[in-house]
């Protein structure tokens, strides 16, 4: 018998077939309903912004990897997901160059300068958003009224973005029907309004095992409980916790941004603490901060704490408990 | 992994013209007691442990010793081996005792188990005859080296759940050696002195009615394990059955008063102790999953894979990687002349298209390995620390509690060679220990 050339390698000799591309494909599928909801409520300009962000992110990554002489991995789709997510947290009324600037910053500063895929300390989407928010805040406070497509009634009762009501018109928060908040029939960013679509995408990610439930549940539950305490004390000056949870970035961030791997802890105790931290900081910034939305800043702060939270680990199986 | 249908009737091949029997095993090596040119009978002892701990090695065919030389072994290394050329004549196989003189005392039974040459597929730190012996039967010379052997055994686990996906040797034993298993149980119970005896099987397993009745009569409890790798590996098996955690590293089941016995080995016990049959055969699964080839072979221990392939039909075509001892825990072979022994357990053939290769990619911290790790480690961090030479840090993060099950490599989206890196870290640390 002829001796064949045999491959020799370390165990294991089988693989699940998972890849970065498959992870990102799952994210794209999960983001699809959110994008559809955004286009449904805010029209074609919403699609324009998201596509612009996505294209910029992908081209920037391609350019970066070519220039830096790295292996070109742009086809793994991670830049595409970053771009789309950034588009979803922008208003559809922002100028085109702002979207481009945000996506460029997200990929270059947020992702590559700080370590590359999975090794950057801060969520690139939030980094990109923070850059444009801080630099061009005047352009960032313009939100469209949902467009009465397909015979939907406009959310005419609410001219302002609904989180502004927290500081300016507290009474308004009790008028807004929760169903409108839930289906996204309110002014807001492209992807954050429709909680229903966000939940659909999030459940898909959970079912596919791409995220675990710990961070989203800890995030939303702690924010709700925190808001409930103040609402119980003084319902006149503090909004109902459910209003808080259903409005703004809360759901999108809890499922898609706070769970970003590499910027969030991987152990269960760390994940729970991280989620609780995100929830509490969000509510503190929303209630007493100068910014309308507290979620992105809460995530950035908790991202910074992640290496610390990852020191809190479950005891390894078989580790002897040392008795002092 | 789809394993297809596996026939319960093992194929028997014509006796081989030559066998090569390794003398080096993961637990240690044994010394040849025959010399080149010596004639040997089938079943004759050809190698023995000078310390009297490891099982004897027995000739599997009658013939003449033609060489004692290094040879590829199923553990992925070269091992000193005894090569025997058949003389064609069968001859009467040697027996461990004469008809009607079956040993009655437990001491003698233990000695016989050691002499018979039974070896298990799992790599336990001690051979069956040491692990199964209750403290009263253990040679006292062992106690200073292995204090855990002083501990009484209160739970005996027969492991009938397959070690890894795709390898079916234990479920095969469960379905085709029922009588042998039932016959062996009283001996194992008596030797171990265990108050609780458990047969662990995978949750999907269906057992015959009479077998289940026999188990009940023998006082054996049936425990079903989650049908999920690596539930049947010793530390997790013991934890599932008894709720006790084996301290790692350095601990084994005996540390927590448990002994685990591979089911195929348990099935051989009765044959040895009642009939004096020495162990000369190996049960090996031959699989080429992408070609739908799955066969069980019963071969003389030490038959070369090369010789088996000549007689096998259908034989696996175009092998690009040949794996002994299973897809998760095994070793890739560099030579088809590797002998099939009891511990070979299974030989997998992969074609060029089935090869899953590792890549030199940075970790993306996706956390899949953290979710999958049965020992609750952080393989992502461990692999990086080993990669960048920060071995002491890795040790502080429980590197030595890794059982190398390979599930982290299996799920890794960027295909990092996780197990390789962990082993590298462990070997570097051990090497630096020895230098000091």
């Amino acid at each position: 018998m002829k001796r064949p050339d045999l491959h020799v390698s370390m165990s294991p000799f089988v693989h699940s077939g998972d890849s970065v591309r498959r992870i990102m494909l799952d994210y794209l599928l999960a983001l699809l309903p959110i994008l559809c909801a955004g286009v449904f409520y805010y029209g074609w300009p919403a699609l324009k912004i998201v596509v612009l962000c996505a294209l910029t992110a992908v081209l920037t990554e391609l350019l970066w990897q070519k220039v830096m002489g790295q292996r070109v991995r742009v086809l793994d789709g991670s830049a595409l997901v970053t771009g789309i997510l950034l588009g979803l947290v922008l208003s559809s009324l922002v100028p085109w160059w702002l979207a481009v600037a945000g996506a460029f910053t997200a990929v270059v500063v947020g992702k590559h300068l700080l370590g590359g895929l999975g090794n950057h300390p801060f969520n690139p989407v939030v980094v990109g958003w923070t850059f444009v928010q801080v630099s061009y805040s005047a352009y960032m406070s313009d939100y469209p009224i949902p467009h009465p497509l397909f015979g939907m009634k406009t959310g005419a009762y609410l001219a302002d973005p609904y989180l502004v009501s927290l500081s300016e018109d507290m009474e308004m928060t009790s008028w807004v029907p929760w169903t409108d908040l839930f289906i996204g029939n309110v002014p807001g960013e492209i992807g954050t309004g429709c909680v229903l679509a966000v939940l659909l995408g999030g459940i898909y990610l959970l079912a596919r095992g791409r995220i675990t439930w710990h961070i989203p549940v800890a995030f939303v539950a702690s924010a709700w409980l925190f808001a409930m305490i103040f609402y119980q004390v003084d319902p006149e000056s503090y909004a109902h916790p459910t209003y808080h949870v259903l409005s703004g970035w809360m759901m999108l961030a809890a499922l898609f941004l706070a769970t970003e791997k590499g910027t969030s802890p991987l152990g269960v105790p760390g994940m729970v603490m991280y989620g609780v931290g995100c929830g509490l900081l969000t509510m503190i910034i929303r209630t007493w901060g100068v910014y309308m939305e507290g979620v992105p800043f809460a995530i950035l702060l908790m991202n910074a704490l992640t290496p610390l939270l990852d020191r809190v680990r479950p005891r390894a199986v078989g580790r002897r408990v040392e008795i002092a | 992994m789809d394993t297809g249908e596996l026939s319960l009737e093992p194929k028997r091949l014509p006796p081989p013209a030559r066998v090569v029997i390794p003398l080096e095993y993961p637990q240690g090596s044994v010394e040849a007691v025959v010399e080149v040119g010596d004639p040997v009978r089938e079943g004759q002892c050809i190698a023995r442990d000078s310390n009297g701990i490891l099982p004897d090695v027995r000739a599997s065919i009658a013939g003449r010793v033609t060489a004692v030389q290094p040879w590829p072994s199923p553990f992925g290394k070269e091992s000193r081996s005894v090569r025997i050329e058949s003389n064609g004549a069968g001859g009467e196989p040697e027996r461990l005792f004469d008809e009607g003189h079956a040993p009655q005392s437990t001491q003698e039974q233990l000695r016989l188990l050691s002499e018979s040459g039974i070896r298990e597929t799992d790599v336990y730190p001690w051979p069956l005859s040491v692990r199964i012996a209750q403290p009263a039967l253990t040679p006292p010379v062992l106690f200073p080296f292995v204090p855990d052997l002083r501990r009484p055994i209160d739970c005996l686990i027969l492991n009938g759940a397959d070690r890894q996906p795709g390898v079916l040797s234990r479920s095969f034993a469960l379905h085709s050696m029922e009588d042998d298993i039932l016959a062996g149980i009283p001996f194992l119970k008596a030797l171990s002195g265990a108050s609780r005896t458990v047969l662990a099987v995978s949750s999907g397993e269906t057992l015959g009615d009479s077998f289940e009745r026999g188990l009940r009569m023998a006082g054996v409890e049936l425990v079903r394990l989650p049908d999920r790798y690596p539930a049947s590996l010793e530390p997790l098996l013991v934890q599932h059955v008894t709720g006790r955690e084996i301290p790692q590293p350095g601990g084994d089941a005996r540390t927590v008063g448990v002994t685990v016995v591979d089911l195929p080995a348990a099935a051989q016990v009765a044959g040895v102790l009642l009939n004096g049959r020495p162990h000369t055969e190996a049960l090996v699964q031959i699989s080429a999953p992408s070609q739908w080839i799955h066969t069980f072979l019963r071969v003389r221990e030490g038959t070369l894979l090369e010789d088996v392939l000549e007689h096998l039909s259908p034989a696996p075509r175009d092998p690009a990687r040949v794996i002994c001892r299973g897809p998760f825990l095994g070793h890739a072979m560099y030579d088809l002349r590797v002998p099939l022994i009891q511990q070979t357990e299974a030989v997998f053939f992969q074609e060029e298209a089935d090869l899953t290769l590792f890549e030199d990619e940075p970790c993306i911290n996706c956390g899949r390995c953290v979710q999958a790790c049965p020992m609750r480690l952080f393989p992502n961090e461990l692999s990086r620390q080993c990669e960048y030479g920060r071995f002491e840090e890795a040790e502080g993060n429980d590197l030595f509690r890794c059982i190398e099950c390979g599930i982290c490599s299996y799920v890794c989206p960027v295909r990092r060679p996780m197990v390789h890196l962990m082993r590298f870290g462990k070997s570097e640390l051990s090497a630096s220990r020895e230098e000091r």
Side-chain angles (χ1 to χ4, degrees), chain B residues 173-203:
Chain B
L174 199 57
H175 291 288
S176 63
M177 305 178 193
E178 294 161 331
D179 296 337
D180 292 332
I181 295 168
L182 290 176
I185 285 170
F187 291 109
L188 293 172
K189 285 177 85 164
L191 291 173
S192 65
S195 50
R196 181 184 180 207
T197 308
V198 169
L199 173 63
V201 298
S202 166
S203 61

Side-chain angles (χ1 to χ4, degrees), chain A residues 19 41 51 77 83 102 120 131 162 171 182 191 203 219 227-228 232 250 260 277 294-295 317-318 324:
Chain A
S19 64
Y41 287 117
V51 169
H120 40 73
F131 168 69
Y162 40 106
E171 230 186 299
F182 188 69
I203 288 168
F219 190 156
M228 193 62 181
Q232 290 295 337
M250 181 78 79
E260 156 118 59
V295 171
V317 175

Side-chain angles (χ1 to χ4, degrees), chain A residues 140-164:
Chain A
M140 295 285 286
S141 48
D142 225 1
Y143 295 94
I145 300 289
H147 188 66
L149 270 174
F150 310 111
M152 282 283 292
K153 262 203 322 200
T154 38
Y157 48 82
L158 193 64
D160 285 325
Y162 40 106
L163 279 176
V164 172

Side-chain angles (χ1 to χ4, degrees), chain A residues 7 9 13 15-16 71 209, chain B residues 320-321 327 361 368 376 410 412:
Chain A
H7 279 266
S9 63
F13 305 98
H15 192 268
S16 58
R71 197 193 302 183
Chain B
R321 188 156 63 183
E361 289 275 334
R368 287 296 259 208
R376 291 198 297 260
Y410 179 75
C412 181

Side-chain angles (χ1 to χ4, degrees), chain A residues 1-21 23-24 71 73 117-120 208-212 260-269 271 310-320 322, chain B residues 1 239 245-249 320-323 327-328 330-336 350 352 355-356 358 360-368 370-371 374-378 380-381 397-398 401 406 409-415 419-420 423:
Chain A
M1 181 170 180
K2 184 180 145 284
R3 273 175 68 183
D5 296 320
L6 296 177
H7 279 266
V8 179
S9 63
M10 251 322 163
S11 65
F13 305 98
V14 283
H15 192 268
S16 58
D18 201 9
S19 64
V20 179
R21 203 182 292 193
I23 297 177
M24 295 306 162
R71 197 193 302 183
R73 298 192 181 90
L117 179 62
N119 293 293
H120 40 73
R208 296 282 297 159
R210 296 308 184 192
I211 58 175
T212 56
E260 156 118 59
K261 297 305 170 88
T263 66
S264 61
L266 297 173
V268 169
M271 287 200 272
D310 243 343
R311 308 311 309 164
V312 188
R313 300 207 166 163
R315 187 180 57 84
V317 175
R319 187 182 185 127
R320 283 169 237 236
E322 277 108 23
Chain B
M1 189 190 306
Q239 197 178 0
E245 269 183 29
I246 298 179
Q248 303 276 352
R321 188 156 63 183
V322 177
I323 302 148
F328 279 87
H331 303 276
M333 294 296 118
Y334 54 89
D335 197 327
L336 286 182
Q350 292 182 326
E352 200 73 40
L355 289 183
T356 54
F358 296 116
D360 179 26
E361 289 275 334
C363 171
I364 59 163
N365 280 311
C366 68
R368 287 296 259 208
V370 181
Q371 286 169 34
M375 306 305 281
R376 291 198 297 260
L377 305 178
F378 277 58
N380 59 331
E381 198 184 57
N397 287 322
D398 303 318
R401 294 185 173 91
S409 275
Y410 179 75
V411 298
C412 181
V414 291
R415 302 186 178 226
V419 175
H420 174 72
R423 282 189 190 148

Side-chain angles (χ1 to χ4, degrees), chain A:
Chain A
M1 181 170 180
K2 184 180 145 284
R3 273 175 68 183
D5 296 320
L6 296 177
H7 279 266
V8 179
S9 63
M10 251 322 163
S11 65
F13 305 98
V14 283
H15 192 268
S16 58
D18 201 9
S19 64
V20 179
R21 203 182 292 193
R22 287 207 187 175
I23 297 177
M24 295 306 162
L25 192 66
D26 277 341
Y27 267 89
L28 289 180
L29 284 174
L31 289 173
L32 195 65
I34 307 174
L35 181 60
C36 290
V39 176
F40 177 80
Y41 287 117
Y42 310 118
W44 297 114
L47 188 64
K48 187 190 81 184
I49 293 297
V50 174
V51 169
L52 213 60
C53 282
L55 271 180
T56 313
V58 170
L59 291 178
T60 308
E61 174 150 308
L62 178 67
L63 201 67
W64 173 271
Q65 287 172 340
K66 287 270 188 205
V67 170
M68 298 304 287
Q70 295 174 350
R71 197 193 302 183
V72 175
R73 298 192 181 90
V74 70
L75 287 180
D76 66 16
S78 60
L80 186 62
V81 168
T82 303
I84 292 179
L85 264 170
L86 179 70
L88 291 176
V89 295
L90 292 176
S91 155
S92 61
L93 298 181
V94 297
W96 66 269
W97 51 265
L98 188 145
V100 170
F104 181 83
T105 315
V107 171
V108 170
V109 180
K111 185 174 171 189
H112 285 294
L113 278 182
L114 295 181
L117 179 62
N119 293 293
H120 40 73
F122 300 105
N123 188 322
V125 177
V126 183
V127 169
W129 180 89
T130 312
F131 168 69
V132 290
Q133 169 70 37
V134 172
S135 310
Y136 313 108
S137 47
Y139 295 98
M140 295 285 286
S141 48
D142 225 1
Y143 295 94
I145 300 289
H147 188 66
L149 270 174
F150 310 111
M152 282 283 292
K153 262 203 322 200
T154 38
Y157 48 82
L158 193 64
D160 285 325
Y162 40 106
L163 279 176
V164 172
S165 326
L166 290 178
S167 49
E168 289 173 2
D169 188 2
M170 189 50 82
E171 230 186 299
M172 174 99 83
T173 63
S174 53
W175 298 348
V176 184
W178 286 346
T179 49
D180 273 3
L181 282 175
F182 188 69
I183 61 168
N185 194 18
V186 284
E189 294 94 353
I190 296 166
T192 58
C194 184
V195 173
L196 176 66
V198 172
L199 282 179
L200 277 181
I203 288 168
Y204 177 73
L205 287 186
L206 279 168
R208 296 282 297 159
R210 296 308 184 192
I211 58 175
T212 56
W213 56 269
H214 308 86
I215 291 176
V217 169
F219 190 156
V220 174
S222 61
W224 194 87
L225 283 173
F226 187 84
M228 193 62 181
I229 295 170
F230 287 90
Y231 182 74
Q232 290 295 337
V233 172
D234 182 6
E236 294 292 304
S237 40
Y238 297 100
H240 193 277
T242 309
Y243 180 87
H244 270 296
V245 164
L246 291 180
S247 59
W249 287 35
M250 181 78 79
M251 282 297 176
L252 185 78
L255 288 160
F256 288 85
L257 298 179
T259 52
E260 156 118 59
K261 297 305 170 88
T263 66
S264 61
L266 297 173
V268 169
M271 287 200 272
V272 172
M273 283 188 274
Y274 172 90
V276 170
C278 282
L280 296 187
L281 281 174
T282 299
M283 295 317 302
I284 290 169
I285 298 170
R286 272 189 186 180
T287 316
W288 298 292
V290 288
Y291 288 99
M292 177 183 93
E293 178 55 277
V295 171
F297 302 106
I299 291 181
L300 281 184
L301 287 168
M302 292 313 291
N303 282 169
L305 280 184
T306 292
L308 197 62
L309 293 178
D310 243 343
R311 308 311 309 164
V312 188
R313 300 207 166 163
R315 187 180 57 84
V317 175
R319 187 182 185 127
R320 283 169 237 236
V321 187
E322 277 108 23
I323 300 157

